[in-house]
Amino acid sequence: MFGFRKHKGTADALIELTDEIKRRRAAGEFVVALTCDASSAFDLLNRQLVIAMLKKLGSGPRATRFFESFLDGSKQFVVINDCCSEEWNLDVGSGQGHVLSPPLFNIGTLSQYYWSSISTLFGYADDGSDLISAPTTTECNEKVRIVMNERKRWFELAGMALNIEKTSLIGFGFTHDPVTINNIAIAPVTSFKFLGLTIDQSFSLDQHVNSVSAKVRAAAAKIRADGANFSTRDRRRLYIGWVQGTLCSNGAAYLPLLNKTQLDSLQSASNYAIRSVVKLPRRSIDISITDVRQKLNIR
C-alpha cells in the first residue's frame, strides 16, 4: 500500500512493481499484471468494513465510537460560484475532502491486500495492480482467472463498483488468454498505463517518453500563447509547474532507465519550452539554450 502514506508515492509503487516483474521473469516464471479500477471508490466504500477493519487493527471502544460518529455525522454540499446546495448525509463512503478521508479509505481497503494468496497487490489509493506468476502458462492463466473472480467479489463486498472498462491484463513472457467478466471479454494488451507510467511488455520506455515529450511541447505552446503578456519571471513559473512538473512526475521510476535517444527527445522538448519562456524563435542556430537556462536558473 503506497497511497496516503508518509514518504511513499506513485514512483515507489511503480519501481517496486516493475522490479518484481523483472525478478520473477529472471527466475523463469511467466507473469501477468492485472490492473483494476474502482468507480467512485471514496463515495461507495462500505462504512461497516471500515469499522470492522479498525477493530481488527486493535481500535478500542472509544476510538471506534469516535470514527462511527464522525462517519455518520459527515455532511456533503456543493458550492458553485456563490450558490451553495442543501446539505445531505450519506450512509456509504469514507467521505470527500476532509482530513480523515484518506486514512479511513486505506483502513477500509486494507483487506484487499490479503484477499488473494496467489497474487501480490501493488496499490495506490483506489488504483491497484495484482501481480500473478507461475512456472507454466497454463497455471498462470488459471491463476489469473481465480484472482479476477476474487477481486471482483471483494469489490462487491466492499460496496464498490469495478470499472471493467479500465481493467486490463498484460502478460510478460507470453500472451495470456482473455478473461470474461459480466459477459465482457478482457483481451490481453501489450502495454498499459498504471499511475501515470506506460509499462510495455518489453519494458521499452519509448511510449512513455513520447507521451511526456508531447505534453512538454503542448505546455511550451501554452506558455507562449497564454503567457504572451506575462513577465519572463511569470513565464518561468509556468515552466516550473507545467514542464518540470510533467518531467518529474514518476521521474524516479523512469528517468534513470532512459537511453541517449530518449533523453535527447526530452531535452529537445524542454528546450522548446525554454524558448517560449524568453520568447525566442522556435528555431535558431546562433543562440545557446544552455546559456539561456543558466540565466533563468533552470536546470
Side-chain angles (χ1 to χ4, degrees):
M1 182 186 293
F2 296 88
F4 311 121
R5 293 182 61 194
K6 191 174 183 180
H7 304 309
K8 297 287 186 180
T10 55
D12 299 287
L14 290 165
I15 290 170
E16 292 204 22
L17 172 65
T18 53
D19 282 355
E20 183 63 13
I21 294 172
K22 294 173 183 177
R23 186 191 68 77
R24 296 188 188 191
R25 286 293 297 134
E29 293 186 306
F30 298 96
V31 184
V32 170
L34 165 63
T35 304
C36 297
D37 179 78
S39 300
S40 304
F42 280 77
D43 295 323
L44 296 176
L45 179 64
N46 189 316
R47 290 182 176 179
Q48 296 306 312
L49 178 60
V50 177
I51 300 303
M53 288 305 302
L54 274 169
K55 293 178 180 178
K56 284 286 186 181
L57 294 171
S59 175
R62 180 176 296 179
T64 301
R65 286 197 301 271
F66 167 78
F67 285 110
E68 286 178 326
S69 174
F70 176 82
L71 289 170
D72 290 340
S74 294
K75 296 180 182 294
Q76 302 275 334
F77 62 91
V78 176
V79 177
I80 301 178
N81 295 327
D82 295 328
C83 298
C84 181
S85 71
E86 294 181 358
E87 294 182 345
W88 71 90
N89 292 322
L90 295 174
D91 57 1
V92 295
S94 63
Q96 289 278 6
H98 57 67
V99 69
L100 288 179
S101 181
L104 288 175
F105 183 85
N106 275 355
I107 291 168
T109 57
L110 186 61
S111 62
Q112 68 177 315
Y113 291 86
Y114 308 98
W115 186 260
S116 177
S117 60
I118 59 175
S119 73
T120 304
L121 178 64
F122 294 82
Y124 192 97
D126 57 340
D127 293 311
S129 184
D130 277 287
L131 214 57
I132 305 143
S133 62
T136 66
T137 58
T138 301
E139 183 180 349
C140 197
N141 278 318
E142 179 61 19
K143 282 185 174 181
V144 169
R145 186 188 63 79
I146 294 172
V147 172
M148 187 69 260
N149 288 331
E150 288 179 345
R151 197 57 70 199
K152 177 177 176 290
R153 184 164 180 264
W154 181 88
F155 273 94
E156 291 172 350
L157 292 174
M160 296 189 292
L162 177 63
N163 190 336
I164 298 177
E165 292 183 356
K166 290 187 177 181
T167 298
S168 63
L169 286 162
I170 180 171
F172 297 89
F174 78 116
T175 300
H176 58 79
D177 297 336
V179 176
T180 301
I181 310 172
N182 296 342
N183 296 321
I184 299 176
I186 300 175
V189 296
T190 57
S191 66
F192 72 110
K193 182 172 284 190
F194 182 56
L195 301 177
L197 178 71
T198 301
I199 301 175
D200 186 89
Q201 273 184 323
S202 61
F203 290 103
S204 168
L205 289 166
D206 286 343
Q207 285 190 60
H208 187 69
V209 169
N210 291 338
S211 174
V212 172
S213 296
K215 290 179 181 178
V216 169
R217 290 183 178 275
K222 193 170 179 62
I223 291 171
R224 191 178 290 274
D226 294 356
N229 298 319
F230 291 3
S231 66
T232 301
R233 182 179 179 181
D234 287 337
R235 287 194 297 275
R236 180 185 180 277
R237 288 175 176 170
L238 294 179
Y239 177 94
I240 298 299
W242 293 349
V243 177
Q244 287 196 345
T246 299
L247 290 169
C248 293
S249 176
N250 292 322
Y254 79 95
L255 288 176
L257 306 176
L258 300 184
N259 58 38
K260 186 179 184 304
T261 300
Q262 292 164 339
L263 288 171
D264 287 345
S265 176
L266 294 180
Q267 185 67 68
S268 176
S270 298
N271 289 344
Y272 187 74
I274 288 290
R275 293 174 182 275
S276 297
V277 173
V278 293
K279 291 187 173 182
L280 285 174
R282 289 177 173 80
R283 285 186 173 83
S284 59
I285 58 174
D286 57 342
I287 298 174
S288 171
I289 299 300
T290 300
D291 291 342
V292 175
R293 281 180 176 272
Q294 290 177 346
K295 291 178 182 179
L296 293 172
N297 193 25
I298 294 176
R299 295 183 179 180

